[in-house]
Amino acid sequence: MAAGKEIKKKIASVQTTQKSTRAMQMVAASRMRRTQDRMQEGRPYSQRIEQVIGHLANAAPEYRHVYMTTREVSRIGYIVVSTDRGLCGGLNVNLFRELIRNLSSRRDDGKESELALIGNKSAQFFRSVGGNVVATMGNIGETPELADLIGGIKVMLDGFAEGRIQQLDIISNEFVNTMTHRPVLRQLLPLPPMEAAEFRHRWDYIYEPDARELIEGLVQRYIESLVYQAVIENTACEQAARMIAMKNATDNAEEIVKELTLLYNNARQASITQEISEIVGGAAAV
């Protein structure tokens, strides 16, 4: 019954894989809860500083920062936030598909691009497809620190301040819920106009020590907080997507084991039937 032995080996192999995927599912679920907590903790700060910047963008300040200045766009910078590792379903694929669609559309309009990549998967992707990559930030881990991101962010901010790029966008995965994650592209610079009713008034402020120093510091913190929050949300999406992917893999392994077990039983039954037939035939010949 050589066929039966081969099937049993396949069953054992699939069961071993199933144990690994189940363990990875449980680990991802635990990490997802922790990253969700960090994501929720960071949102109030991001929302509050966005309100402050929204008021500044609609104010009539004595000093208008270069990040608030709109210019004719010929080159766009992108900060791309991906994961460091795979095994998270189509999370990165959907992100890259949306990015490539946007890049192609802008290229058709005659606009060039620069890329600052966060995460090993984006670096691997653009090494294979090509692209004007000016900064990479990999191995950020499950608990990213702002200090690990500042270098790449500064490259893009300097590029905007120098006029090398005239617009800066960020694309990352937004965490909607455990089952839903979607790629979102948003403009960072120049500061987009705030359309909410609370920002429609023309504000005027008295700045201390001076407008330039204060606004420059606030805008820098604003950009850093948006990028950091995007990285945190992308990490939460990664763990949720990995948990779902590993659950699907575990369920698929269970189905394969059932099919192989049925196949083994059929092969075993056929072998037993053949042996009985041979015994009966031998007895009849005697």
Side-chain angles (χ1 to χ4, degrees):
M1 190 181 167
K5 291 181 179 179
E6 289 298 322
I7 295 173
K8 288 191 72 175
K9 286 182 180 179
K10 289 182 180 180
I11 291 174
S13 176
V14 173
Q15 287 175 332
T16 300
T17 303
Q18 186 182 31
K19 290 178 182 177
S20 299
T21 56
R22 184 178 287 114
M24 293 175 70
Q25 174 190 342
M26 295 172 66
V27 170
S30 174
R31 290 174 175 172
M32 182 191 67
R33 286 190 289 270
R34 292 199 296 270
T35 54
Q36 279 183 296
D37 291 341
R38 286 196 295 272
M39 179 183 68
Q40 296 295 340
E41 290 169 0
R43 277 181 175 174
Y45 176 82
S46 296
Q47 292 168 354
R48 186 57 181 165
I49 196 170
E50 188 169 9
Q51 290 176 349
V52 173
I53 294 298
H55 287 303
L56 287 176
N58 288 276
E62 55 195 82
Y63 167 71
R64 193 158 188 83
H65 196 278
V66 65
Y67 295 162
M68 300 178 180
T69 305
T70 302
R71 295 168 288 189
E72 183 178 352
V73 178
S74 61
R75 180 179 294 231
I76 302 173
Y78 293 86
I79 296 177
V80 184
V81 183
S82 70
T83 68
D84 277 332
R85 299 186 295 132
L87 297 177
C88 50
L91 189 70
N92 290 312
V93 173
N94 294 333
L95 180 81
F96 297 149
R97 185 181 293 122
E98 179 65 24
L99 176 60
I100 292 298
R101 185 184 301 118
N102 190 271
L103 288 172
S104 299
S105 174
R106 299 284 178 81
R107 190 183 303 113
D108 293 340
D109 293 336
K111 296 180 176 64
E112 299 178 352
S113 62
E114 288 187 5
L115 302 166
L117 309 179
I118 300 176
N120 294 335
K121 285 300 177 179
S122 58
Q124 293 174 9
F125 177 77
F126 282 100
R127 272 200 300 268
S128 61
V129 302
N132 184 17
V133 178
V134 297
T136 57
M137 295 150 280
N139 300 317
I140 58 175
E142 296 162 11
T143 55
E145 298 292 338
L146 183 59
D148 300 328
L149 308 174
I150 285 179
I153 297 173
K154 189 175 187 305
V155 169
M156 304 307 282
L157 295 183
D158 289 347
F160 187 88
E162 296 164 2
R164 192 178 70 247
I165 59 176
Q166 296 79 42
Q167 181 176 322
L168 178 61
D169 294 346
I170 182 170
I171 182 168
S172 63
N173 287 293
E174 180 183 48
F175 187 94
V176 180
N177 54 53
T178 303
M179 301 296 295
T180 306
H181 328 106
R182 61 189 177 204
V184 174
L185 186 142
R186 64 181 299 181
Q187 180 178 318
L188 293 179
L189 296 175
L191 296 178
M194 303 295 183
E195 301 298 336
E198 63 176 304
F199 300 125
R200 289 177 185 166
H201 303 287
R202 300 297 294 180
W203 299 84
D204 198 6
Y205 295 97
I206 297 175
Y207 299 93
E208 182 67 34
D210 62 68
R212 176 168 185 166
E213 183 177 346
L214 184 61
I215 292 176
E216 189 162 320
L218 277 174
V219 173
Q220 182 110 4
R221 296 294 86 75
Y222 168 68
I223 299 298
E224 291 173 357
S225 71
L226 285 185
V227 175
Y228 182 73
Q229 187 66 23
V231 172
I232 291 293
E233 290 214 19
N234 198 79
T235 304
C237 293
E238 175 188 1
Q239 299 302 337
R242 181 170 293 118
M243 181 188 70
I244 295 168
M246 292 302 101
K247 182 182 184 303
N248 291 338
T250 302
D251 294 343
N252 291 339
E254 184 66 28
E255 291 300 318
I256 293 173
V257 168
K258 289 179 180 179
E259 293 174 3
L260 289 174
T261 300
L262 180 60
L263 186 62
Y264 172 77
N265 290 337
N266 290 339
R268 184 168 177 270
Q269 184 64 45
S271 177
I272 292 173
T273 302
Q274 182 179 356
E275 289 178 3
I276 292 174
S277 299
E278 289 174 356
I279 292 172
V280 172
V286 173

